[in-house]
């Protein structure tokens, strides 16, 4: 048995945040990181850019090669945790390796959701697109003559399309939703993004329908249309990896239940990242925030608190900063309240106001200064004191009262 003060399960953003959070308070106690992946920690959102040729393995690394050594942590790659015993304070890996802990942080992330499509077992070349191994496997199976079918027009599906479009013959995207990126874009913004993608690459969309059945390398859609393909990518969605702690007795819903200090319902066990159901301050309720910045912040919070600190996360909001084929966008918060649209097409900003505060926004095109809008949501700043016309046209401090500008500038000088 390996004995540690701290054990972290997971090696992505939340796991990294957890180790760095621990080392803010405790530089010397023993720590271990257990990872089912064999790779050094890397940035998952960059896998599409790896296929696109815009990055490489070295630049994908989320931390330096010396990260584990610098943070005095033993790293166990390729070890999948299969059970947690909260009474014995142990974690057991699939290989039989057992690690004891005084504090455990679970950062197990999420996994692709694969619906039980009829005939899916008849498809020879099928892939998901969430990890570096997924990207490597997909890259090895495509070429200039490959027809690719992607099921799912969400973030994962569209990033996959961007990554491979220039390397294959054609890409077809199918989604049951009536628009692309249906979870983060309004109808008008989604239509702009779809039109941009279709004009920028050989990508065709079939929206408002789904696959009824697969017959080998042919997909039969609900509307009867048949689509031939050589490679299938399943990007329907993800599910939080809750089973490890659920089996140990922790409360779980759509994710692992945690308080605002990332404590689970089990003693000495914390959780963070895509696996948890954290607090979304934009809507005032618990939900899964499967986003890299949130994952890191939650991991750091868990690490700080596990090592004796006192940290609370109460201002997290869903936020995406992404781009597809050169069109950039930022979305944040909740789409709740009165809607205001400034501009149109690929230079469009949509704002949602409720109870005198900004609740959410969608920006297409020029995303500079979007952080100001994000701060307004997080801080629940009353909008009655601001020049909204000016603020919505351009996010600068000029839209704020003089007293507020002085406060911000003074804070920047102190920093």
């Amino acid at each position: 048995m390996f004995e540690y003060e701290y054990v972290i399960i997971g090696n992505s953003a939340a796991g990294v945040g957890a180790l760095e959070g621990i080392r803010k308070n405790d530089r010397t106690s023993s720590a271990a990181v257990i990872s089912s992946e064999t790779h050094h920690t890397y940035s998952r959102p960059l896998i599409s850019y790896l296929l696109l040729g815009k990055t490489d393995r070295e630049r994908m690394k989320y931390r330096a090669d010396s990260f584990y050594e610098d943070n005095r942590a033993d790293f166990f790659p390729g070890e999948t945790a299969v059970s947690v015993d909260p009474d014995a304070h142990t974690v057991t890996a699939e290989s039989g390796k057992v690690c004891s802990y005084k504090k455990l942080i679970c950062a197990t992330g999420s996994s692709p959701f694969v619906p039980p499509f009829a005939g899916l077992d008849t498809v020879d070349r099928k892939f998901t697109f969430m990890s570096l191994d997924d990207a490597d496997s997909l890259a090895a199976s495509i070429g200039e003559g490959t027809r690719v079918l992607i099921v799912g027009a969400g973030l994962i599906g569209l990033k996959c399309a961007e990554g491979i479009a220039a390397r294959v013959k054609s890409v077809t995207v199918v989604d049951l939703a009536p628009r692309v990126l249906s979870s983060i874009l309004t109808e008008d913004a989604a239509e702009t993004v779809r039109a941009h993608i279709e004009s920028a690459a050989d990508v065709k969309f079939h929206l408002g329908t789904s696959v009824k059945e697969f017959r080998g390398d042919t997909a039969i859609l609900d509307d009867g249309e048949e689509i031939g393909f050589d490679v299938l990518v399943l990007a329907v969605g993800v599910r939080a990896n809750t089973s490890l702690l659920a089996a140990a007795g922790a409360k779980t819903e759509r994710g692992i239940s945690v308080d605002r200090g990332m404590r689970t319902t089990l003693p000495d066990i914390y959780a963070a990242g895509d696996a948890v159901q954290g607090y979304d301050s934009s809507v005032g309720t618990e939900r899964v925030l499967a986003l890299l910045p949130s994952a890191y912040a939650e991991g750091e919070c868990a690490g700080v608190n596990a090592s004796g600190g006192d940290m609370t996360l109460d201002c997290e909001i869903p936020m995406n900063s992404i781009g597809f084929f050169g069109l950039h966008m930022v979305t944040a918060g909740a789409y709740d309240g009165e809607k205001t649209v400034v501009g149109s097409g690929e230079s469009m900003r949509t704002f949602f106001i409720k109870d005198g505060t900004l609740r959410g926004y969608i920006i297409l095109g020029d995303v500079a200064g979007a952080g100001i809008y994000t701060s307004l949501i997080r801080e629940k700043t009353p909008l009655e004191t601001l020049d909204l016309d000016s603020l919505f046209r351009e996010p600068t401090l000029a839209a704020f009262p003089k007293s507020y500008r002085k406060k911000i500038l003074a804070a920047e000088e102190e920093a």
Side-chain angles (χ1 to χ4, degrees), residues 103-259:
K103 303 288 184 181
L104 173 67
I105 301 175
C106 183
T108 48
S110 57
S111 297
F113 170 65
V114 179
F117 291 115
L120 184 59
D121 59 338
T122 68
V123 179
D124 289 330
R125 291 192 287 172
K126 51 181 178 287
F127 305 90
T128 53
F129 194 71
M130 281 189 63
S131 69
L132 182 54
D133 286 341
D134 289 340
D136 287 342
S137 297
L138 179 59
S141 297
I142 59 175
E144 292 182 358
T146 308
R147 302 166 301 161
V148 179
L149 172 63
I150 300 174
V151 181
L155 289 169
I156 296 173
L158 294 193
K159 291 308 289 184
C160 180
E162 181 182 41
I164 66 175
R167 303 177 59 169
V168 300
K169 180 179 180 180
S170 65
V171 176
T172 301
V173 181
V174 174
D175 199 301
L176 183 60
R179 61 182 187 268
V180 303
L181 301 171
S182 60
S183 65
I184 64 169
L185 293 184
T186 54
E187 185 175 350
D188 49 355
E191 176 58 25
T192 296
V193 172
R194 182 197 61 76
H196 175 85
I197 293 174
E198 287 182 330
S199 66
D202 186 10
V203 178
K204 298 180 177 62
F205 291 95
H206 293 263
L207 304 175
T209 187
S210 187
V211 176
K212 180 179 180 181
E213 180 185 3
F214 288 103
R215 296 176 187 167
D217 291 342
T218 300
I220 314 300
L221 303 188
D222 288 335
D223 58 13
E225 185 165 356
E226 298 186 6
I227 299 175
F229 61 90
D230 304 303
V231 167
L232 171 67
V233 179
L234 297 162
V236 177
V238 300
R239 294 291 184 270
N241 292 330
T242 62
S243 60
L244 186 66
L245 288 194
K251 179 183 177 182
T252 62
E253 294 178 0
R254 296 181 73 87
I256 300 167
S257 296
V258 293
D259 66 12

Side-chain angles (χ1 to χ4, degrees), residues 265-305:
T265 55
L266 296 175
D268 300 322
I269 299 181
Y270 301 74
D274 292 7
V276 309
Q277 192 165 276
Y279 179 71
D280 177 358
S281 64
S282 68
V283 292
T285 190
E286 283 73 32
R287 59 187 294 193
V288 176
L289 296 172
L291 305 163
L292 189 147
S294 294
Y296 179 86
E298 290 170 357
E300 181 184 39
C301 180
V304 166
N305 291 333

Side-chain angles (χ1 to χ4, degrees), residues 13-35:
V16 168
L19 183 55
E20 292 182 339
I22 288 169
R23 293 311 184 206
K24 286 179 180 291
N25 296 319
D26 185 346
R27 290 294 306 172
T28 59
S29 294
S30 59
V33 177
I34 300 172
S35 174

